[in-house]
Amino acid sequence: MSLLVVGLSHRSAPVSLLERASLSADGQHKLLQDTVAAEPATEAAVLATCNRIELYADVDKFHAGVAELSQLLAQHSGVGLEELTPYLYVHYEDRAVHHLFSVACGLDSMVVGEGQILGQIKNALARAQDQHSAGRLLNDLFQQALRVGKRAHSETGIDRAGQSLVTFGLEQLSAGADVQAWARGKKALVIGAGSMSSLAAATLARVGVGEIVIANRTQDRAERLVQILTEGDDTDVLARAVPMDAVPLELTRADVAVSCTGATGLVLTAETVGAAVEGRTGTPVTVARAAGAERGAVRTDVRETPVPLVGAGADENCPLDLAAEPGFSLMGESAVAGMDAATLEQHGTWVDEGAALLERSRELGGGTVDRRESARAEADPETDAELITALAATVASAGRVPEHRRPEPVAVAPRPEPALFVLDLAMPRDVDAAAHRLAGVRLVDIESLAEASADAPMAADVDQVRRIVSDEVAAFGAALRAAHITPTVVALRTMAADVVSSEIARLEGRLPGLDDKHRAEITQTVRRVVDKLLHAPTVRVKQLAAEPGGAGYADALRTLFDLDSETVASVSRADRDSDDSEKHDDSEKHSKNRGPA
């Protein structure tokens, strides 16, 4: 086995980078094609979800494989290799198997224990099979990963360790309130009709929303999802389908909006969201977009945004970013607490110049100055400079200026209760991150979900799942190593059968009058002798080969019995072709059973 995985996920990379590196369905197809066309790889599969992009391959050279797979990921994601490399992780052989099995069990998910990853692994395998990029190794690996994931969910309580991403997102929207009580009677808009959107719609129906509107670019898929929702026995939700151009209007009627499409651009701009809230509340809503902010450059969280300090504009020429520390005045002891000597001196120089500028401004009668700072300066314009000089004398012994009083409290603008709750589960994002700063909007997206899940408690069942993964990795490795020696054992038995046939032919030449009964008895006796002689060593060599480091036993067997390497290789090829034929037949059966897309 030479299994290699190169990838990045929410654990290794910021969401903004994952967003840029995300691959469309067509991009995944092209990545598979280019990977199997590359020299080090003979098989390939891509696992791409909203919070991970991983490329699996069977390679003949480790270092060349890592270099090639990393380059391919950078090329197809559009993120430069130098920028991508610090966030990539690499797993090889048993560690790669352990990684995929952990992913399948939900141990590596943003929400531990979620089961959606099993469907995504199944889709990754189906895609690789359709493109004939998955051979024996990746077929066996991904199918076993699906079995391990199902075992973990059936034998443990890993489901209790976390929920689906949708359920977790709704919990964040409800801000700790009971989700069913929070959702009861609300009107929901679901944008998209794919697997994640379908799960979101089903979850919303289950928790008790009163109405669900499905918007999708393909009207048939939206109507099919509506039919599924309305015909279900477990809910009595009202549902209807609308075209995508009806989204702005439906947004003004919705209490909750969930978006998860495959779009490469924004589906909901901050202006659209703001207009929807304004339509519901009648109060104008503005978007406080940072100057020059690009999509994804704005920090996205659901915390309150402090009101800027009064007079904060007076620090425009300060060489230090003091305004970034909320609650600190721009001049005075609390502003310089904790500074080292060099920084203190720099600040002191600025204060001296500021006092002189204030005096000139007063003389000229021009400009406006913050009233509080002006009063302080009029009382003693040199106070801050003298204070800094005195404090500087303590730096040599204390190291830094101590904090002698609490910072001034920061005035926080009260935010109104949300009129619109938005859950963005897309990667790249569907909803403009600037919507976080809109009054009357609570937005939860992949980035804020990652922050919220970082400190989520782990259930005790996680340890049991980890033991299952370890056992399954050992069993899978043993099976692969045993399979590696099988062609050698088959070649040995084939050689022994040829020897028996040759010797029986020689016997017939020496004893031409031998009747059929005696000939058959002699032939059977010779074959039994050969089988008994080969039984113990072949069984034992399979056992030894299944252990870690047992790959050398196949070479030893070939050397001891002088087996032709081409004969062994031909057995391997025949076995592989037989497996591929069976897999192709199974794939055709599955495609017929799937029906129209």
Side-chain angles (χ1 to χ4, degrees):
M1 175 181 65
S2 298
L3 176 66
L4 176 66
V5 55
V6 178
L8 67 161
S9 73
H10 65 101
R11 295 187 182 276
S12 70
V15 174
S16 57
L17 183 69
L18 279 173
E19 185 178 33
R20 291 168 52 207
S22 61
L23 295 171
S24 64
D26 186 56
Q28 294 175 44
H29 283 302
K30 291 178 180 177
L31 176 57
L32 281 177
Q33 292 173 350
D34 289 352
T35 303
V36 293
E39 183 178 346
T42 56
E43 302 180 31
V46 175
L47 179 58
T49 72
C50 58
N51 51 31
R52 75 177 64 251
I53 304 164
E54 296 176 345
L55 180 55
Y56 291 78
D58 183 8
V59 299
D60 54 8
K61 298 175 183 177
F62 172 73
H63 293 290
V66 171
E68 186 66 33
L69 266 59
S70 301
Q71 181 63 50
L72 287 168
L73 277 175
Q75 174 186 334
H76 287 271
S77 68
V79 179
L81 183 59
E82 291 184 358
E83 183 180 1
L84 194 65
T85 298
Y87 303 104
L88 292 176
Y89 47 77
V90 175
H91 299 296
Y92 190 55
E93 296 189 333
D94 283 351
R95 290 302 307 170
V97 177
H98 189 282
H99 174 73
L100 181 59
F101 287 4
S102 297
V103 169
C105 293
L107 292 180
D108 199 58
S109 296
M110 186 178 294
V111 182
V112 175
E114 60 91 10
Q116 299 168 47
I117 188 64
L118 287 174
Q120 293 161 337
I121 291 174
K122 185 177 181 180
N123 291 338
L125 175 59
R127 186 182 303 109
Q129 288 174 338
D130 289 343
Q131 290 197 241
H132 306 290
S133 65
R136 171 187 285 184
L137 175 59
L138 292 186
N139 268 297
D140 291 348
L141 174 69
F142 274 70
Q143 288 172 0
Q144 186 62 23
L146 293 171
R147 287 190 285 268
V148 173
K150 292 175 182 176
R151 179 189 169 192
H153 284 280
S154 64
E155 295 183 12
T156 75
I158 188 66
D159 293 328
R160 295 193 298 269
Q163 318 88 340
S164 72
L165 205 59
V166 174
T167 305
F168 189 60
L170 293 179
E171 288 185 353
Q172 298 305 304
L173 283 181
S174 65
D178 179 74
V179 173
Q180 291 190 335
W182 168 82
R184 189 175 297 118
K186 281 184 167 60
K187 295 181 179 180
L189 169 65
V190 176
I191 306 174
S195 57
M196 184 67 78
S197 298
S198 300
L199 177 62
T203 304
L204 288 166
R206 190 175 62 251
V207 298
V209 298
E211 181 183 356
I212 298 177
V213 177
I214 308 296
N216 192 57
R217 285 186 170 82
T218 305
Q219 187 74 7
D220 289 344
R221 295 192 65 180
E223 292 175 351
R224 189 184 313 165
L225 180 53
V226 166
Q227 184 180 3
I228 293 172
L229 292 172
T230 54
E231 292 181 354
D233 297 331
D234 55 342
T235 64
D236 56 355
V237 68
L238 298 175
R240 56 190 174 88
V242 298
M244 285 294 288
D245 56 13
V247 165
L249 175 61
E250 294 296 337
L251 204 60
T252 64
R253 301 170 177 169
D255 302 298
V256 184
V258 180
S259 186
C260 186
T261 72
T264 55
L266 291 176
V267 175
L268 294 178
T269 64
E271 289 76 11
T272 301
V273 177
V277 175
E278 183 176 345
R280 292 174 62 88
T281 63
T283 303
V285 178
T286 59
V287 181
R289 188 181 294 275
E294 299 293 336
R295 175 183 171 186
V298 182
R299 179 171 177 78
T300 57
D301 55 38
V302 294
R303 293 174 291 186
E304 312 293 347
T305 303
V307 173
L309 291 173
V310 176
D315 70 331
E316 290 178 348
N317 299 315
C318 179
L320 310 175
D321 188 17
L322 298 178
E325 296 294 330
F328 284 85
S329 60
L330 299 178
M331 298 182 181
E333 184 179 351
S334 61
V336 298
M339 289 185 183
D340 56 28
T343 307
L344 190 64
E345 181 180 356
Q346 187 181 27
H347 182 63
T349 302
W350 175 72
V351 170
D352 283 337
E353 294 176 354
L357 180 63
L358 178 65
E359 185 65 27
R360 289 195 301 272
S361 174
R362 191 163 55 242
E363 290 174 357
L364 295 174
T368 59
V369 183
D370 176 72
R371 183 177 300 172
R372 183 180 58 185
E373 296 297 341
S374 177
R376 289 177 57 227
E378 287 175 359
D380 187 356
E382 302 300 326
T383 297
D384 287 313
E386 291 176 359
L387 176 61
I388 289 172
T389 302
L391 288 172
T394 68
V395 171
S397 58
R400 299 180 76 83
V401 178
E403 175 71 69
H404 292 299
R405 64 184 182 214
R406 295 177 62 83
E408 298 174 9
V410 180
V412 177
R415 288 177 67 100
E417 285 297 314
L420 178 62
F421 299 85
V422 182
L423 178 58
D424 182 5
L425 298 174
M427 182 62 70
R429 75 183 77 209
D430 280 347
V431 183
D432 192 343
H436 277 291
R437 301 193 299 274
L438 293 176
V441 176
R442 179 174 294 157
L443 169 61
V444 172
D445 54 19
I446 291 295
E447 188 167 359
S448 50
L449 283 175
E451 292 178 358
S453 65
D455 300 322
M458 301 284 283
D461 299 275
V462 170
D463 290 335
Q464 186 178 353
V465 173
R466 286 178 176 147
R467 288 193 292 272
I468 289 175
V469 169
S470 296
D471 292 344
E472 291 284 357
V473 169
F476 185 80
L480 280 181
R481 288 186 289 270
H484 179 69
I485 204 171
T486 297
T488 302
V489 172
V490 171
L492 174 60
R493 289 190 173 276
T494 301
M495 184 192 72
D498 291 342
V499 171
V500 169
S501 298
S502 177
E503 290 302 317
I504 293 299
R506 286 181 60 190
L507 181 63
E508 289 179 347
R510 292 182 178 182
L511 302 173
L514 193 65
D515 59 64
D516 292 343
K517 179 180 179 181
H518 289 89
R519 184 187 301 107
E521 186 64 32
I522 292 171
T523 301
Q524 186 63 25
T525 299
V526 174
R527 285 176 177 168
R528 278 200 301 268
V529 170
V530 172
D531 287 341
K532 288 183 178 181
L533 287 173
L534 291 180
H535 176 74
T538 53
V539 169
R540 184 60 180 149
V541 79
K542 285 183 178 181
Q543 293 173 343
L544 293 171
E547 297 175 358
Y553 287 100
D555 295 333
L557 202 62
R558 286 194 293 269
T559 301
L560 287 172
F561 288 91
D562 195 23
L563 296 175
D564 182 26
S565 58
E566 181 55 37
T567 301
V568 176
S570 65
V571 173
S572 298
R573 284 195 298 270
D575 197 16
R576 201 160 44 236
D577 292 343
S578 175
D579 282 353
D580 289 344
S581 178
E582 291 178 5
K583 296 282 187 341
H584 179 69
D585 293 340
D586 289 343
S587 177
E588 286 187 346
K589 290 179 183 177
H590 293 324
S591 63
K592 291 177 182 177
N593 292 335
R594 281 197 296 263

